[in-house]
Amino acid sequence: SAVISQKPSRDICQRGTSLTIQCQVDSQVTMMFWYRQQPGQSLTLIATANQGSEATYESGFVIDKFPISRPNLTFSTLTVSNMSPEDSSIYLCSVGQGKNIQYFGAGTRLSVL
Amino acid sequence: GQQLNQSPQSMFIQEGEDVSMNCTSSSIFNTWLWYKQDPGEGPVLLIALYKAGELTSNGRLTAQFGITRKDSFLNISASIPSDVGIYFCAGYALGGSQGNLIFGKGTKLSVKP
């Protein structure tokens, strides 16, 4: 399976600021995804990061709040914009490989004060 | 939207005990995945299932794709302390795209005091 590196692993941010999370994969992958995991909860898909085109967002998530870049087949970024305490969560990137399988990075633990 | 019912929500184990958890859906799935998430980490894939009735093992772990295609279970035999963590079922509903991976709410495994 692909090796997925996420940076930063954790951060503490002030409300109103923005944080960009990076996801680097050690091989080219077609499908990359961004998830949010709120404290003690399951995973919720934010968007599919499409290489060379705009990301596809799930209901309840918008580009202005969570802009995503996907400049090539091994890298993507997710920005959490104008943060509030409600944005405190774990943000995870994943890649699709093999038959219907997604592999996950270790996540970015974000706390907003 | 589509939801998965995962149970139990939490359980306490003593070393050596067998553990069983399950997941049910309201619609037919064509893939079931079981993940484990340790504190500070992303979910790690344990077992993937693709056919009704399929029974697959990974060491002390065994998972089955239900005959009705609407459920799956995961068994852990002879549990050890490192089995502690959160187990998630996930799957794709029939006709779903690779981005549409649906997660259960998780089963938290803890050690009995």
Side-chain angles (χ1 to χ4, degrees), chain A residues 10-15 17 19 83-85 87-91 108-113:
Chain A
R10 59 179 63 244
D11 208 340
I12 301 172
C13 300
Q14 296 296 321
R15 71 172 67 209
T17 63
L19 175 72
M83 288 183 285
S84 67
D87 294 320
S88 298
S89 284
I90 302 171
Y91 292 86
T108 296
R109 278 135 190 88
L110 172 63
S111 296
V112 184
L113 304 178

Side-chain angles (χ1 to χ4, degrees), chain A residues 31 33 35 37 41-43 45 92 96-106 109, chain B residues 30-31 33 35 37 39-43 45 48 50 88 92 98-99 101 103-105:
Chain A
M31 310 287 282
F33 309 94
Y35 287 82
Q37 185 178 25
Q41 301 297 315
S42 187
L43 284 73
L45 182 65
L92 295 145
Q97 277 194 323
K99 187 178 175 186
N100 287 349
I101 291 177
Q102 289 188 28
Y103 296 98
F104 287 83
R109 278 135 190 88
Chain B
N30 61 20
T31 301
L33 306 173
Y35 290 90
Q37 187 175 27
E41 299 294 327
L45 181 71
Y50 299 106
F88 290 100
Y92 291 99
Q98 188 161 28
L101 183 59
F103 279 83
K105 291 183 184 291

Side-chain angles (χ1 to χ4, degrees), chain B residues 32-112:
Chain B
W32 285 99
L33 306 173
W34 285 92
Y35 290 90
K36 183 190 180 207
Q37 187 175 27
D38 290 326
E41 299 294 327
V44 174
L45 181 71
L46 300 173
I47 292 177
L49 302 160
Y50 299 106
K51 292 184 196 175
E54 182 180 353
L55 187 71
T56 297
S57 293
N58 178 4
R60 293 176 297 104
L61 279 61
T62 301
Q64 186 161 29
F65 194 134
I67 293 290
T68 66
R69 301 171 74 185
K70 292 184 178 182
D71 63 338
S72 177
F73 71 74
L74 175 71
N75 287 341
I76 307 172
S77 62
S79 56
I80 59 178
S82 61
D83 290 333
V84 163
I86 302 177
Y87 292 79
F88 290 100
C89 64
Y92 291 99
L94 196 63
S97 65
Q98 188 161 28
N100 198 20
L101 183 59
I102 301 159
F103 279 83
K105 291 183 184 291
T107 295
K108 184 176 181 180
L109 221 55
S110 304
V111 176
K112 276 184 191 173

Side-chain angles (χ1 to χ4, degrees), chain A residues 2-113:
Chain A
V3 175
I4 304 164
S5 302
Q6 246 186 271
K7 290 196 295 188
S9 59
R10 59 179 63 244
D11 208 340
I12 301 172
C13 300
Q14 296 296 321
R15 71 172 67 209
T17 63
S18 297
L19 175 72
T20 295
I21 302 167
Q22 298 180 1
C23 183
Q24 178 76 53
V25 190
D26 69 343
S27 58
Q28 293 188 336
V29 293
T30 305
M31 310 287 282
M32 288 183 79
F33 309 94
W34 287 98
Y35 287 82
R36 181 175 71 184
Q37 185 178 25
Q38 294 180 304
Q41 301 297 315
S42 187
L43 284 73
T44 301
L45 182 65
I46 297 172
T48 301
N50 301 309
Q51 194 267 329
S53 64
E54 203 168 273
T56 305
Y57 289 84
E58 297 299 306
S59 175
F61 298 96
V62 295
I63 187 171
D64 289 346
K65 176 67 177 177
F66 297 103
I68 287 170
S69 79
R70 178 88 193 271
N72 56 52
L73 292 176
T74 63
F75 186 78
S76 178
T77 67
L78 169 76
T79 299
V80 186
S81 303
N82 188 25
M83 288 183 285
S84 67
E86 292 71 35
D87 294 320
S88 298
S89 284
I90 302 171
Y91 292 86
L92 295 145
C93 74
S94 76
V95 303
Q97 277 194 323
K99 187 178 175 186
N100 287 349
I101 291 177
Q102 289 188 28
Y103 296 98
F104 287 83
T108 296
R109 278 135 190 88
L110 172 63
S111 296
V112 184
L113 304 178

